[in-house]
Amino acid sequence: MTSLFEQEEDRPLAERLRPQTLEEVVGQDHLLAVKAPLGRMLAAGRLASVVLWGPPGCGKTTIARLLAERAGLEFAPLSAVFSGVADLRKVFDAAAKRKEMGQGTLLFVDEIHRFNRAQQDGFLPYVENGTVVLVGATTENPSFELNAALLSRCQVLVLHRLDDRALDLLLTRAETVSGRPLPLDDDARAAVKAMADGDGRYLLNLAEELALLPPSPVLGPAELAEAVQRRAPSYDKDREGHYNLISALHKSLRGSDTDAALYWMARMLTGGEDPLFIARRLTRFAVEDIGLADPNAVVQALAAWDVYERLGSPEGELALAQLVVYLGTAPKSNATYKAFGMAMRAAKETGSLMPPAHILNAPTKLMKEIGYGKGYQYDHDTAEGFSGQNYFPDGMERRRFYRPVERGFEREVKKRLDYWDKLRRQKTTE
């Protein structure tokens, strides 16, 4: 509401355009439509506690306020950044008094993940006994940031970053309030939406800045870049975005989609990711998902890592890009990765089994007398350079851990293993 001394036009555009009804909220129909989760709750007259998880500027605070209004609840907002236990106690006491008078309370907690585990536990009795309907808002993955007890009492609803259609609608509303079109050609308009990166608040702040420019000349993308500050991509190196993008890079490479992999690496670099972290992950990929299908992959990975450390940014980033192309186009195999996992499980299952005596060294007389080294065949002395002896512990059946694929160099490795298996069978029947 505008105060007595505040003119409507003095308020920020984003505030003036804040939706007054749920129907005016853009981009979140999957939650607000009649048959969507929040739509069904309102229709039934029973609003449950929820956690709204979504990126900045997608409407979390607005939706919470409008839900309270539609459900006839007192709207009690708190920010976990600025509030503590004393603030929570005041809110709960006031809500309890309202409840005695038949008035419900919607407690909105912005950045709810900022509360520690003990503080989150403090919500539980008031949510359970209906003193408050809790609506938490977070930009972080609730699975990692909220405790299990609180999550079990709240439905997590995922809000989407605003798509092109929603952003275009916001721009149109901004132009209506401003009374004239923004001085942008079609390409610049598209660039503005791209700069907003799904954040409606940022888009409206940018539109407000552009509305101050004269109606001519109309700006193209180049002029737009000169006129406004470019937004840094949303990317928290210690948060979920970090793990999402490295997962996208890894899986794009595994799927041999080199172009997508280059894109995800570029996203990480523009977001400020440490290139050495990327180099480490790419080296891991070389041994996990390529392995002996192309033994040169890990050599290329180490070389790119070394080049980056010598050159630094931005020159060294080209070495990482070359590595991404190499890994993306290489034949893939996780046979070594799987074999090592199976061997580790077998080692834990079998405990402290001794190696067979014939492959033990016998540096002392006693050790020779008790059979260490007895019957060992020196493979180089055999006709095939292969003795076929057993090297697994006595009492443990032979197992096949490494199963090379019919791709790349592993095709040749498989031929060798098949040949040695054939010789082993022959020698054991002799």
Side-chain angles (χ1 to χ4, degrees):
M1 179 180 294
T2 307
S3 72
L4 180 63
F5 303 104
E6 180 184 25
Q7 298 296 320
E8 174 70 15
E9 58 270 19
D10 293 334
R11 300 164 63 217
L13 181 62
E15 184 64 27
R16 282 184 278 157
L17 285 178
R18 188 180 289 276
Q20 299 304 304
T21 67
L22 288 170
E23 288 73 22
E24 293 178 13
V25 175
V26 299
Q28 310 302 337
D29 289 346
H30 65 292
L31 297 179
L32 298 172
V34 175
K35 295 185 178 181
L38 290 175
R40 289 196 302 269
M41 288 184 197
L42 292 171
R46 293 190 60 184
L47 189 61
S49 291
V50 297
V51 173
L52 302 177
W53 172 27
C58 66
K60 298 184 289 295
T61 303
T62 295
I63 288 174
R65 179 177 57 81
L66 294 175
L67 285 174
E69 183 179 300
R70 184 70 62 89
L73 302 174
E74 179 73 18
F75 183 61
L78 271 182
S79 170
V81 176
F82 301 110
S83 305
V85 174
D87 301 292
L88 287 172
R89 189 174 292 117
K90 290 179 183 177
V91 170
F92 292 138
D93 289 345
K97 292 177 181 178
R98 290 192 204 98
K99 185 182 178 184
E100 292 175 357
M101 300 173 63
Q103 171 67 49
T105 301
L106 186 151
L107 171 58
F108 173 67
V109 182
D110 197 18
E111 305 290 344
I112 191 171
H113 63 276
R114 301 279 188 139
F115 279 136
N116 62 37
R117 302 284 168 155
Q119 290 170 318
Q120 291 177 30
D121 284 337
F123 289 107
L124 302 180
Y126 300 98
V127 171
E128 287 181 338
N129 66 19
T131 300
V132 298
V133 173
L134 175 63
V135 177
T138 179
T139 55
E140 304 298 331
N141 190 328
S143 301
F144 303 141
E145 304 295 338
L146 301 183
N147 66 34
L150 185 59
L151 283 177
S152 69
R153 292 162 175 81
C154 298
Q155 184 176 349
V156 176
L157 302 178
V158 180
L159 280 76
H160 296 163
R161 64 190 297 277
L162 300 188
D163 59 17
D164 191 77
R165 177 176 172 275
L167 293 174
D168 205 49
L169 181 56
L170 289 182
L171 280 180
T172 300
R173 291 179 183 176
E175 290 172 324
T176 300
V177 169
S178 300
R180 65 180 178 87
L182 296 174
L184 304 170
D185 66 18
D186 291 343
D187 291 338
R189 193 181 185 90
V192 165
K193 290 183 286 186
M195 291 169 66
D197 197 21
D199 185 334
R201 187 187 306 110
Y202 179 88
L203 180 82
L204 292 176
N205 290 340
L206 189 56
E208 186 169 28
E209 184 180 346
L210 292 170
L212 298 175
L213 298 175
S216 62
V218 173
L219 306 181
E223 295 80 13
L224 173 68
E226 294 178 2
V228 300
Q229 182 86 20
R230 185 165 183 83
R231 182 184 190 182
S234 175
Y235 184 73
D236 292 322
K237 290 188 284 183
D238 62 341
R239 300 286 182 175
E240 194 199 9
H242 164 82
Y243 299 105
N244 285 345
L245 265 61
I246 194 61
S247 176
L249 171 59
H250 195 120
K251 290 182 174 64
S252 297
L253 287 172
R254 183 180 291 156
S256 299
D257 192 335
T258 306
D259 294 319
L262 283 169
Y263 168 77
W264 291 119
M265 186 177 75
R267 279 279 303 275
M268 296 180 78
L269 290 171
T270 57
E273 182 58 77
D274 181 0
L276 290 177
F277 169 77
I278 298 174
R280 287 193 296 272
R281 287 301 298 255
L282 293 177
T283 303
R284 164 72 183 199
F285 179 88
V287 293
E288 178 180 336
D289 285 276
I290 295 177
L292 291 179
D294 183 351
N296 198 44
V298 69
V299 178
Q300 291 286 330
L302 293 173
W305 191 339
D306 187 44
V307 169
Y308 180 81
E309 287 193 314
R310 289 171 183 267
L311 296 182
S313 292
E315 293 90 344
E317 292 169 4
L318 183 58
L320 298 181
Q322 177 174 301
L323 175 58
V324 165
V325 172
Y326 189 96
L327 299 180
T329 56
K332 308 299 188 294
S333 171
N334 68 344
T336 300
Y337 173 78
K338 292 168 65 177
F340 180 60
M342 293 169 66
M344 288 292 288
R345 288 192 293 273
K348 293 175 182 177
E349 292 167 2
T350 54
S352 303
L353 292 177
M354 282 286 289
H358 67 273
I359 63 172
L360 297 178
N361 289 328
T364 69
K365 181 179 179 181
L366 174 62
M367 295 169 79
K368 289 180 181 178
E369 289 176 351
I370 63 176
Y372 279 31
K374 184 178 181 180
Y376 174 65
Q377 298 179 37
Y378 189 56
D379 289 79
H380 294 296
D381 287 344
T382 65
E384 300 89 354
F386 179 82
S387 68
Q389 285 193 298
N390 178 52
Y391 299 98
F392 276 93
D394 292 334
M396 177 180 175
E397 292 185 2
R398 177 174 185 80
R399 299 190 191 179
R400 169 62 65 86
F401 299 134
Y402 178 52
R403 300 177 182 274
V405 299
E406 289 278 1
R407 292 188 292 276
F409 181 72
E410 278 199 333
R411 183 183 293 110
E412 299 303 316
V413 175
K414 185 176 186 303
K415 291 178 183 177
R416 296 178 200 168
L417 292 178
D418 291 343
Y419 172 65
W420 288 329
D421 280 343
K422 179 182 177 182
L423 288 180
R424 188 178 291 111
R425 287 193 299 270
Q426 290 175 353
K427 291 178 180 293
T428 55
T429 58
E430 291 176 356

